[in-house]
């Protein structure tokens, strides 16, 4: 008899609706890119590793999904070389961390 | 040209088998030639359709070429245009190969107007096999959080795993089952608009929660045959006609209990 108790707690269906909307937005995003991220991570790593030593655990790949465009961000932490001589010829500007940003158009 | 329909849901126990039997029977009741095929991991469609004692050969026998399709098809005793192809109860489910299923579906397409595939629960191999060759998907959903979530995952899978060689997106429809207008009206159950909003699929029908559905499966008779005038049977028949392309106005189940029973808390019909 809700008209006697206007301040009663929220209806369970509206809570269910809200929880689902949040969860599914998250899951749909994850599904669309479930293959893309590991693939990119692997190939970009391989390309970078040709020139500099890279710690596999210090690589971060993430995607910010937007309406028109999504931003793909790849952070590769390149350690300060203990033996600078080995790197001299290849890359003198090696910093503690370097980030590369690529913009890719969204999948949809 | 035959239409292959996959009845799927992700979650188990939401009414896929009941729906396959009821939709198949409803289509056959209009004179269409219908084959209902059980892809489920456990054999149940034959039981719901009352043919459990007539199963000799199942789908696996046909995919492996042990018997001809015509030997495994079981003709319904009540409707002469309705046939059943049963699932295997005991044999290894890995025996179902993609090529074998493709061959059987192609053969069924030649003989029937409609092929209804009852998909197993889950998102593993069995359900992708069933959906791969379908033209149309009916996503069965209860107005309940876990069912809606699993339906959402199945919808994603339908887009990804279906025969992409055809280069087209599969036609997908939403069928809401076990809908209780009293609870939805009280705000204790997701209502029809909530479910459509979340899943964004066109609505094929709303099947009200009803004792008639259980009664029909007890008797081994699709609800559209057992009690054609009951609310769930009419809802299934309308859904079948919409599948056939007819423009049938949607019947939204409403709370039909009177003010008297509401006031005195009597159970709504």
């Amino acid at each position: 008899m809700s008209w006697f108790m206007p301040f009663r707690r929220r209806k369970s269906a509206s809570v269910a609706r809200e929880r689902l909307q949040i969860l599914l937005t998250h899951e749909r995003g994850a599904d669309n890119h479930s293959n893309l991220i590991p693939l990119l991570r692997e190939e970009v790593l391989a390309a970078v590793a040709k020139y500099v030593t890279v710690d596999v655990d210090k690589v971060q790949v993430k995607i910010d999904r937007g309406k028109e465009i999504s931003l793909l961000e790849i952070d590769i932490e390149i350690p300060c070389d203990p033996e600078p001589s080995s790197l001299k010829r290849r890359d003198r500007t090696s910093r503690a961390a370097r980030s590369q940003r690529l913009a890719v158009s969204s999948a949809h | 040209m035959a239409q292959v329909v996959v009845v799927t849901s992700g979650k188990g126990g939401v009414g896929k088998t009941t729906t396959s039997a009821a939709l198949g029977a409803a289509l056959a009741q209009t004179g269409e030639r219908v084959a209902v095929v059980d892809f489920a991991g456990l054999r149940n469609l034959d039981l719901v359709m009352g043919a459990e004692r007539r199963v000799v050969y199942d789908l696996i026998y046909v995919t492996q070429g042990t018997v001809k399709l015509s030997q495994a098809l079981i003709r319904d005793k009540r409707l002469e245009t309705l046939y059943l192809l049963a699932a295997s109860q005991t044999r290894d489910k890995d025996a179902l190969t993609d090529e074998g299923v493709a061959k059987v579906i192609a053969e069924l397409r030649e003989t029937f107007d409609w092929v209804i595939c009852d998909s197993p629960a889950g998102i593993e191999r069995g359900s992708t096999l069933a959906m791969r060759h379908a033209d149309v998907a009916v996503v069965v959903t209860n107005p309940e959080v876990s069912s809606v979530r699993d339906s959402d995952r199945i919808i994603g899978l339908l887009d990804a795993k279906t025969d992409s060689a055809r280069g087209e997106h599969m036609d997908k429809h939403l069928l809401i089952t076990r809908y209780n207008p009293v609870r939805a009206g009280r705000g204790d159950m997701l209502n029809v608009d909530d479910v459509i909003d979340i899943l964004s699929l066109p609505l094929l029908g709303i099947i009200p929660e009803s004792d008639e559905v259980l009664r029909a499966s007890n008797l081994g008779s699709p609800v559209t045959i057992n009690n054609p005038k009951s609310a769930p049977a009419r809802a299934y028949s309308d859904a079948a006609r919409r599948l056939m392309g007819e423009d049938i106005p949607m019947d939204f189940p409403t709370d039909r209990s009177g003010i008297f029973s509401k006031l005195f808390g009597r159970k709504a019909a």
Side-chain angles (χ1 to χ4, degrees):
Chain A
M1 304 270 149
S2 53
W3 56 87
F4 292 132
M5 292 174 270
F7 299 114
R8 225 178 69 147
R9 68 196 156 99
R10 274 176 80 192
K11 300 287 188 192
S12 65
S14 78
V15 178
R17 185 194 159 102
E18 205 176 293
R19 287 175 62 220
L20 272 169
Q21 277 168 334
I22 294 166
L23 174 73
L24 295 182
T25 310
H26 179 77
E27 285 184 345
R28 285 169 191 162
D31 279 356
N32 285 346
H33 297 289
S34 57
N35 287 327
L36 181 64
I37 288 186
L39 266 176
L40 273 172
R41 188 190 150 93
E42 210 169 286
E43 289 191 17
V44 170
L45 245 178
V48 174
K50 274 196 223 166
Y51 305 103
V52 278
T53 328
V54 179
D55 185 350
V56 183
D57 296 328
K58 304 237 165 106
V59 177
Q60 281 192 345
V61 182
K62 68 175 188 184
I63 288 184
D64 285 328
R65 282 156 53 81
K67 258 205 175 118
E68 299 283 310
I69 201 166
S70 296
L71 190 70
L72 169 68
E73 199 173 305
I74 303 175
D75 283 312
I76 303 174
E77 200 176 310
I78 300 169
C80 293
D81 205 316
E83 295 165 51
S85 59
S86 69
L87 232 136
K88 234 177 239 168
R89 264 169 298 146
R90 287 171 187 161
D91 192 353
R92 281 171 169 282
T93 57
S94 168
R95 272 173 247 137
R98 181 182 297 170
S99 81
Q100 298 191 354
R101 289 188 162 200
L102 295 164
V104 291
S105 56
S106 96
H108 40 254
Chain B
M1 181 65 185
Q3 284 279 304
V4 180
V5 181
V6 62
V7 178
T8 185
S9 71
K11 189 175 181 294
V14 298
K16 279 186 297 295
T17 302
T18 304
T19 296
S20 301
L23 275 184
L27 287 165
Q29 281 167 312
T30 70
E32 299 281 287
R33 290 177 58 80
V34 182
V36 193
V37 185
D38 192 353
F39 277 91
L42 296 163
R43 194 175 104 189
N44 274 324
L45 187 59
D46 53 334
L47 194 56
V48 170
M49 292 181 72
E52 70 277 11
R53 288 167 57 180
R54 298 169 60 210
V55 178
V56 182
Y57 302 116
D58 57 51
L59 177 61
I60 291 181
Y61 280 96
V62 188
T63 58
Q64 292 181 338
T66 317
V67 299
K68 281 188 280 188
L69 178 62
S70 55
Q71 290 174 280
L73 281 169
I74 302 163
R75 186 195 215 152
D76 190 86
K77 287 200 163 159
R78 298 146 298 209
L79 292 170
E80 60 175 34
T81 58
L82 181 62
Y83 288 79
L84 165 72
L85 186 52
S88 167
Q89 177 75 293
T90 51
R91 300 167 76 194
D92 186 7
K93 292 301 176 294
D94 291 335
L96 269 185
T97 60
D98 194 27
E99 305 78 59
V101 171
K103 208 184 102 225
V104 173
I105 299 276
E107 211 179 327
L108 286 166
R109 275 184 194 272
E110 287 170 19
T111 333
F112 292 94
D113 301 313
W114 296 88
V115 180
I116 313 285
C117 305
D118 183 18
S119 170
I123 54 173
E124 283 83 36
R125 193 163 158 272
S127 52
T128 53
L129 263 183
M131 65 177 66
R132 188 161 299 160
H133 307 282
D135 309 305
V136 182
V138 173
V139 179
V140 182
T141 308
N142 290 169
E144 179 271 329
V145 286
S146 60
S147 173
V148 174
R149 182 220 206 152
D150 288 355
S151 291
D152 191 74
R153 302 204 63 187
I154 276 291
I155 293 165
L157 212 60
L158 281 167
D159 290 333
K161 291 280 166 118
T162 46
D163 224 343
S164 50
R166 289 201 304 255
E168 57 200 43
H169 256 34
M170 185 187 278
D171 237 354
K172 299 180 286 288
H173 301 276
L174 176 66
L175 186 77
I176 300 176
T177 54
R178 298 228 173 105
Y179 189 70
N180 185 323
V182 180
R183 285 191 203 158
R186 277 201 309 248
D188 284 332
M189 179 183 260
L190 289 168
N191 65 37
V192 174
D193 291 336
D194 290 337
V195 182
I196 296 174
D197 271 2
I198 294 168
L199 296 177
S200 353
L201 283 191
L203 186 62
L204 183 69
I206 310 155
I207 314 300
E209 189 172 51
S210 164
D211 290 345
E212 284 300 328
V213 174
L214 182 61
R215 198 167 293 140
S217 80
N218 284 344
L219 299 170
S221 171
V223 68
T224 43
I225 298 177
N226 192 54
N227 186 355
K229 293 219 166 88
S230 65
R234 280 187 283 114
Y236 273 122
S237 297
D238 285 355
R241 288 188 172 278
R242 286 184 199 110
L243 267 184
M244 293 166 71
E246 287 181 40
D247 191 15
I248 310 271
M250 193 64 66
D251 184 17
F252 287 87
T254 47
D255 179 5
R256 289 204 176 81
S257 60
I259 185 78
F260 183 84
S261 55
K262 267 185 187 164
L263 280 175
F264 292 91
R266 289 246 302 265
K267 198 180 152 207

